[in-house]
């Protein structure tokens, strides 16, 4: 690299002695470090470049108190020692032998770059800097890509700051002597300049940072020299201007000499800075690496701010202006922060005028930068520009910033809010100084509030007042909290000569005032502006409490006045809206407004209640009159009559939602309307939908009155009768031809059944027992049929609009959301045991097919039903698989292909079902056993009409059932296997044809992993013969194990029986069915719901003591055996209960709105596991027997 002519550098970047000055007066230091002779560096040290051999040196390192100091790099890396003492030690070493000290400093920079190479004394004496750098480059390990400035970890966290501090302290400590010796600084600058031009990123990055920090330190030295020169010059002028008799010539001579020395030092410092700037900065500010460019821009900003007389001119400012177009956000950000430091000082504004005019448009455009941090700083910079000179920014420039107060990114919006406040609200006219003590409409904030309203209206974003308020909240808190002034503008008459606010302006002011109240009371930004509720500090909590108190005290007085002033007009407007509009949302808004005003604690209650009653009276009378004409026999109702009935019914329904209209007895007229619709079948669908909804509200309001106050038996009976009649009507409409009517009837039925279920008596409300309504089997069947026909449908079947055209994506999503709500409503009935659990089988079997649409709802339903009754849930799961199997048989016949996609889909569904049982096999023991029992019975239920030589018709179901074998405990596999053998004949065990493969694979799944466990159990039984029974002195007798649907007798505990079981174990894998232990006769009974004490897995062939007790599955960490018996060999997953405790939790879904009763041990869960089929995410340790 060739340096500029002012610095007189050679082609190898070393200094040359162009002026022929080898020594300067008062310094006596050598300046040359170019091509050197072997002994040239001996002039300032021990001679010959040899390290000192005195007592203060050891292995080339300075000694202090007999302890070897670490290398400079290690000291800086630790960052613990005081940097000044480190530098002082180096200076002492430099004074003793400057070549060795410089060699340490050079190796310090090399090591800081991450290079493992070392510059030796021989290399330092005989090689050019370019040769040294080339040699170090060859030894650099570039494969890793990491070097100290980029390394992660705590030891490197403070390295950069320590590195920069070292350079600054080094220059500061050397500023009075060493830096002027034309040797140390020349060597360092030459080295850093050469390294900054290296192709190795680590060298370039580290040396650029070092050079820029060195430049900053030199700028500080130059500034101090400039100040000293000015002081010396003033002292000289003052002394020279004295009278000749009082003038001290010696002092003048000293001051003149001092000024000359300072000037020489200043010239040298400027030469050094010029060398660094043109040798490093000019090339590196446009480096390919963004971090290097950012370093350069950050430091030049410091130079211009620190020493503005020398650097704050267009020659240096242009680099910042050009770099504002950098493609990397971090570099653009450094440009803006550098400029902020300059514009903040108003004294520098005159020097920035040309730069501002040239680059103002670029700064304005950066307010829309894709990097939010850059946009924020650009707005803050424009705010400083605005404060320095308002004429610089045009109206268009300001408008580009104004609209950013509505930005979703809060820092951008807050910065824009501050700009807006400085531009429009911070200026105060002189005549307003006398208004400072006035309040309300005559206060100083009155005009500012109006200005805010005008700005809000002109922005034409009238739904975003909350965002405008939030943007200005930090900078204009006093203005935005002046609610007294806002109320005064709304209530008081305008002053003479003052224009009154228009209705549009008053509405805008009210909206802004409400947003300020909400912001003060809630202390969090509006939706989309924050990442969540943050924790308030103690000061913020106190401010919030004070604001709430102020709001309460102020509006307790002002709100009635505001309402009174506009109440009559408001009520008239609401009445007109109700009479003119039929849109449901509009009518419900009117209803909610009446509900908010009809508070008995308000003084306006009577006026509002009278207005509401008059309105409902008119609507009810009109509805009864229209209905009588509409339902008149023998006449065909025309469309106009139907529209009149529908519009009136809409209004009544909207008001009945929020108001108790029981005294108008709306049930009778709605019942008559609905009954006529059932009889004739030609009732318009919208009339039926709103009549159903209105009747629903009638029943709910009556229930609320009965619940909240004492009621008579007649009231209960009347409500019971109306409710049941209404349910029958809804059941009739489930078969309506119109889908919308059916959906309305279904939704209302689900709500009614939930409300009037057995849970209505909870909370000590036993008097409501007559109202409990349990749906019969026909109603349950119709509800389930509706779900199957209208929820589990293909997307293409439900995405055609009325005119036959395809709906857009939004409509499809809305339709899916509606179907999800319907399914969730029915699943709540299952979860709360309103309908039989086995109805869920038709839901569960859709799990795989409709997983994307309803998988979360179905899975949550499985989880909740398992909490209610694990065994019944398992029976429901196996029933759903049986239904799918039967459907496949009906479609494909018994000779179906077991490799078909249909059969594979059923197997995959079974596998997914198995995963939902989790890892804790002890808790699901009974349920899994019952599942296998039902599956075995189903597989052998239909014998083959061709004889026993052919497999049972459902035998292939065992292939599906085998998916659950892994969930059996190893000892339980034995029991299930014994139960399977009951259904098998000797000929079946000999069959090896493909049609018998399901049986063989199922048998193998039960035998796998069960041998060792069974033998260990038997050995445990045998060992207890001499331990437990010897203690208890009880005879060993066989005990019959009664199981629902099967009754097994275990062999007598004796040596013969043990050997028989052992021989049995040895032959289990043989294809021939060997003789089994003698079993008692099997008693098959009708299926019934198991109780824990009668459960299928209550007993197993693992123990035969008479003192056996039922298993307690709700205990944690206890053995299955009695305390005086040996524990069985458990599954390896059960060996550490504590390790899986946190895994055994159910899943939470926020997609289905089901409020379930809390279970005993249920823990709160805060996040959804990412893998729906991870066993750990499915387990629920709250599952217990109900």
């Amino acid at each position: 690299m060739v340096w500029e002519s002012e610095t007189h550098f050679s082609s190898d970047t070393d200094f040359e002695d162009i002026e022929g000055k080898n020594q300067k007066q008062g310094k006596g230091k050598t300046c040359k470090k170019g091509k050197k002779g072997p002994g040239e560096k001996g002039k300032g040290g021990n001679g010959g470049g040899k390290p000192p051999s005195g007592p203060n040196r050891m292995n080339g390192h300075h000694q202090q108190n007999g302890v070897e100091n670490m290398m400079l790099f290690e000291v800086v890396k630790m960052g613990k020692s005081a940097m000044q003492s480190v530098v002082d030690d180096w200076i002492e070493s430099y004074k003793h032998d400057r070549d060795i000290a410089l060699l340490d400093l050079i190796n310090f920079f090399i090591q800081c770059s991450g290079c493992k190479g070392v510059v030796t004394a021989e290399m330092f004496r005989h090689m050019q800097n370019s040769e040294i750098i080339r040699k170090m480059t060859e030894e650099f390990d570039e494969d890793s890509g990491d070097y100290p400035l980029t390394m992660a970890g705590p030891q490197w966290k403070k390295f950069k700051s320590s590195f920069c501090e070292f350079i600054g302290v080094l220059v500061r400590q050397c500023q009075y002597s060493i830096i002027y010796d034309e040797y140390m600084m020349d060597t360092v600058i030459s080295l850093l300049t050469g390294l900054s031009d290296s192709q190795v990123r680590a060298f370039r990055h580290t040396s650029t940072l070092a050079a820029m920090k060195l430049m900053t330190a030199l700028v500080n030295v130059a500034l101090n020299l400039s100040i000293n020169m000015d002081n010396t010059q003033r002292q000289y002028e003052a002394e020279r201007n004295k009278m000749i008799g009082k003038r001290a010539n010696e002092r003048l001579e000293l001051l003149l000499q001092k000024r000359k020395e300072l000037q020489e030092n200043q010239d040298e410092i400027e030469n050094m800075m010029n060398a660094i700037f043109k040798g490093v900065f000019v090339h590196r500010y446009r480096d390919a690496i963004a971090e290097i460019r950012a370093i350069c821009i950050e430091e030049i900003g410091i130079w211009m701010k620190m020493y503005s007389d020398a650097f704050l001119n267009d020659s240096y400012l242009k680099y910042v202006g050009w770099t504002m177009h950098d493609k990397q956000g971090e570099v653009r950000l450094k440009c803006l922060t550098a400029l902020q430091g300059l514009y903040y000082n108003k004294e520098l504004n005159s020097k920035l005028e040309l730069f501002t005019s040239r680059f103002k448009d670029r700064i304005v455009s950066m307010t829309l930068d894709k990097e939010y941090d850059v946009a924020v700083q650009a707005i803050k910079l424009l705010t400083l520009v605005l404060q320095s000179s308002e004429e610089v920014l045009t109206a268009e420039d300001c408008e580009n910033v104004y609209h950013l107060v509505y930005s979703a990114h809060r820092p951008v919006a807050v910065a824009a809010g501050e700009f807006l406040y400085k531009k429009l609200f911070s200026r105060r006219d002189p005549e307003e100084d006398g208004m400072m003590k006035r309040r309300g409409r005559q206060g100083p904030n009155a005009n500012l509030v109006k200005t805010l309203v005008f700005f809000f209206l002109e922005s034409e974003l009238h739904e975003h007042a909350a965002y405008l308020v939030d943007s200005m909240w930090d900078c204009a808190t006093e203005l935005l909290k002046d609610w007294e002034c806002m109320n005064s503008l709304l209530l008081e008459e305008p002053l003479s000569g003052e224009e009154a606010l228009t209705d549009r302006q008053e509405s805008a002011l009210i909206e802004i005032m409400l947003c300020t109240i909400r912001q003060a009371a809630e202390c969090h930004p509006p939706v989309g502006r924050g990442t969540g509720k943050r924790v308030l500090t103690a000061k913020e909590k106190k401010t919030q409490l004070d604001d709430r108190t102020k709001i309460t005290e102020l509006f307790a007085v002002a709100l009635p006045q505001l309402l009174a002033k506009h109440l009559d007009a408001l009520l008239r407007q609401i009445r007109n809206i109700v009479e003119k509009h039929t849109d449901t949302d509009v009518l419900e808004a009117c209803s909610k407004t009446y509900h908010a005003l009809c508070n008995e604690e308000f003084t306006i209650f009577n006026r509002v209640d009278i207005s509401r009653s008059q309105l409902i009276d008119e609507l009810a009378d009109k509805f009864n009159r229209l209905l009588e004409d509409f339902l008149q026999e023998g006449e065909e109702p025309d469309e106009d009559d139907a529209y009149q009935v529908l519009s009136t019914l809409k209004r009544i329904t909207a008001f009945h939602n929020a108001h108790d209209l029981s005294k108008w007895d709306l049930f009778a007229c709605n019942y008559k309307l609905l009954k006529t619709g059932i009889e004739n079948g030609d009732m318009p669908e919208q009339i039926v939908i709103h009549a159903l909804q209105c009747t629903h509200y009638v029943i709910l309001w009556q229930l609320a009155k009965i619940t909240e106050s004492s009621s008579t038996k007649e009231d209960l009976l009347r409500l019971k009768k109306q409710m049941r009649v209404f349910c029958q009507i809804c059941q009739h409409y489930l078969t309506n031809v119109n889908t919308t009517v059916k959906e309305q009837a279904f939704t209302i039925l689900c709500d009614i059944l939930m409300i009037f279920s057995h849970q209505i008596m909870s909370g000590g409300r036993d008097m409501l027992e007559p109202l409990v309504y349990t749906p019969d089997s026909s109603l349950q069947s119709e509800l389930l049929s509706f779900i199957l026909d209208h929820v589990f449908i293909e997307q293409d079947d439900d995405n055609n609009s009325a005119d036959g055209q395809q709906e857009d994506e939004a409509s499809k999503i809305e339709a899916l959301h509606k179907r999800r709500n319907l399914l969730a409503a029915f699943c709540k009935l299952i979860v709360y045991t309103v309908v039989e659990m086995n109805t869920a089988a038709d839901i569960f079997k859709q799990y795989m097919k409709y997983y994307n649409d309803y998988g979360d709802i179905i899975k949550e339903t499985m989880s909740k039903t398992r909490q209610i009754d694990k065994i019944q849930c398992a029976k429901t799961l196996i029933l759903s698989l049986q239904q799918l199997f039967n459907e496949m048989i009906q479609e494909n016949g018994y000779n179906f292909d077991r490799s078909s996609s249909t059969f594979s889909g059923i197997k995959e569904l079974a596998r997914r079902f198995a995963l939902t049982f989790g890892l804790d096999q002890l808790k699901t023991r009974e349920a899994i056993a019952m599942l296998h029992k039902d599956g075995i019975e189903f597989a052998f239920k239909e014998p083959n009409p061709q004889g026993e030589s052919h497999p049972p018709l459902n035998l292939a179901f065992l292939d599906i059932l085998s998916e659950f074998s892994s969930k059996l405990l190893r000892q339980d596999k034995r029991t299930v296997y014994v139960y399977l053998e009951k259904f098998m004949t000797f000929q079946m065990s000999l069959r090896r044809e493909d049609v018998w493969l399901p049986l063989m694979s199922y048998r193998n799944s039960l035998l796998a992993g069960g041998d060792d466990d069974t033998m260990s159990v038997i050995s445990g039984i045998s060992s207890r013969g001499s331990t437990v029974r010897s203690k208890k002195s009880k005879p060993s007798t066989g005990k019959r194990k009664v199981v629902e649907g099967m009754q097994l007798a275990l062999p007598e505990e004796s040596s013969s029986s043990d050997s028989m079981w052992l021989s049995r174990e040895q032959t289990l894998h043989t294809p021939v069915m060997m003789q089994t232990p003698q079993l008692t006769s099997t008693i098959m009974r009708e299926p019934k719901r198991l109780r824990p004490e009668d459960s299928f897995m209550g007993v197993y062939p693992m123990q035969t003591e008479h003192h056996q007790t039922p298993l307690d599955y709700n205990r944690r960490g206890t053995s299955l055996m009695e305390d005086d018996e040996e524990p069985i060999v458990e599954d390896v997953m059960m060996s550490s209960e504590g390790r899986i405790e946190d895994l055994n939790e159910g899943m939470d879904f926020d997609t289905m709105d089901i409020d379930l009763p809390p279970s005993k041990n249920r823990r709160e869960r805060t996040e959804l596991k990412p893998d729906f089929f991870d066993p750990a995410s499915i387990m629920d340790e709250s599952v217990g027997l109900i």
Side-chain angles (χ1 to χ4, degrees), residues 481-586:
K481 289 184 180 180
D482 195 350
W483 297 300
E484 185 176 357
C485 176
M486 297 179 188
N487 286 328
S488 177
L489 290 173
L490 292 171
L491 291 173
E492 297 178 6
E493 295 297 326
L495 302 175
S496 58
E498 180 185 7
E499 291 186 8
L501 294 176
T502 64
D503 292 343
R504 184 165 174 260
Q505 292 169 349
E506 284 189 347
S507 299
L509 176 56
I510 292 172
E511 186 175 358
I512 292 174
M513 183 171 65
L514 291 177
C515 292
T516 59
I517 293 172
R518 183 179 294 111
Q519 185 91 355
E522 298 179 355
C523 284
H524 63 79
V527 177
R529 275 275 178 91
T531 57
K533 290 187 177 180
R534 63 182 183 88
V535 179
L536 301 179
T537 63
K539 183 178 180 181
E540 290 172 335
K541 289 182 179 179
K542 184 179 184 305
T543 303
Q544 181 188 36
L545 182 60
D546 293 343
D547 288 341
R548 288 179 174 180
T549 303
K550 180 180 178 181
I551 292 169
T552 302
E553 293 174 352
L554 181 63
F555 284 92
V557 177
L559 194 58
Q561 297 175 3
L562 291 170
L563 288 174
K565 180 179 179 182
H566 305 285
L567 181 62
D568 294 336
L570 174 64
L571 294 177
R572 285 195 303 271
Q573 290 292 336
I574 295 177
R575 187 183 185 90
N576 292 335
I577 292 173
V578 172
E579 291 175 351
K580 294 179 180 178
H581 292 270
T582 59
D583 183 78
T584 302
D585 293 336
V586 174

Side-chain angles (χ1 to χ4, degrees), residues 29 82 158 194 317 396 493 574 753 787 807 839 890 1017:
K29 304 291 194 309
K158 297 182 179 180
L317 282 168
E396 184 180 358
E493 295 297 326
I574 295 177
L753 293 177
I787 289 294
E807 293 183 345
T839 58
Q890 293 176 3
V1017 173

Side-chain angles (χ1 to χ4, degrees), residues 205-261:
H205 187 182
T206 307
S207 61
T208 301
L209 176 62
M212 294 299 99
K213 290 299 179 182
L214 185 64
M215 177 77 167
T216 301
L218 291 175
V219 169
N220 191 45
V221 173
L223 179 61
N224 292 333
L225 288 173
S226 177
I227 294 173
N228 289 334
M229 285 180 61
D230 292 341
N231 293 335
T232 303
Q233 182 65 26
R234 284 195 299 271
Q235 292 174 4
Y236 177 80
E237 294 292 338
E239 189 68 28
R240 193 179 63 176
N241 292 334
K242 290 181 180 179
M243 296 175 62
I244 298 177
K246 296 183 179 180
R247 185 185 305 167
N249 293 329
E250 292 182 1
R251 178 172 173 78
L252 285 174
E253 204 53 45
L254 288 174
L255 290 173
L256 195 60
Q257 180 66 25
K258 181 179 178 182
R259 188 183 66 177
K260 182 179 179 181
E261 290 182 4

Side-chain angles (χ1 to χ4, degrees), residues 549-648:
T549 303
K550 180 180 178 181
I551 292 169
T552 302
E553 293 174 352
L554 181 63
F555 284 92
V557 177
L559 194 58
Q561 297 175 3
L562 291 170
L563 288 174
K565 180 179 179 182
H566 305 285
L567 181 62
D568 294 336
L570 174 64
L571 294 177
R572 285 195 303 271
Q573 290 292 336
I574 295 177
R575 187 183 185 90
N576 292 335
I577 292 173
V578 172
E579 291 175 351
K580 294 179 180 178
H581 292 270
T582 59
D583 183 78
T584 302
D585 293 336
V586 174
L587 294 173
E588 287 184 353
C590 296
S591 175
K592 290 177 182 178
T593 305
Y594 268 115
H595 182 265
L597 297 175
C598 284
N599 190 327
E600 295 182 359
E601 298 179 358
F602 294 166
T603 56
I604 60 174
F605 170 74
N606 291 330
R607 295 165 61 187
V608 178
D609 186 46
I610 292 173
S611 174
R612 178 185 61 177
S613 298
Q614 291 175 348
L615 178 61
I616 301 300
D617 280 338
E618 293 180 7
L619 292 175
D621 292 342
K622 181 179 180 181
F623 181 62
N624 288 325
R625 186 175 63 257
L626 290 171
L627 191 62
E628 184 176 354
D629 297 337
F630 183 71
L631 300 179
Q632 190 171 2
E633 296 183 4
E635 293 187 9
E636 184 76 18
D638 57 15
E639 293 183 0
D640 184 63
D641 293 338
Y643 175 79
Q644 291 295 329
V645 172
L646 175 60
S647 58
T648 307

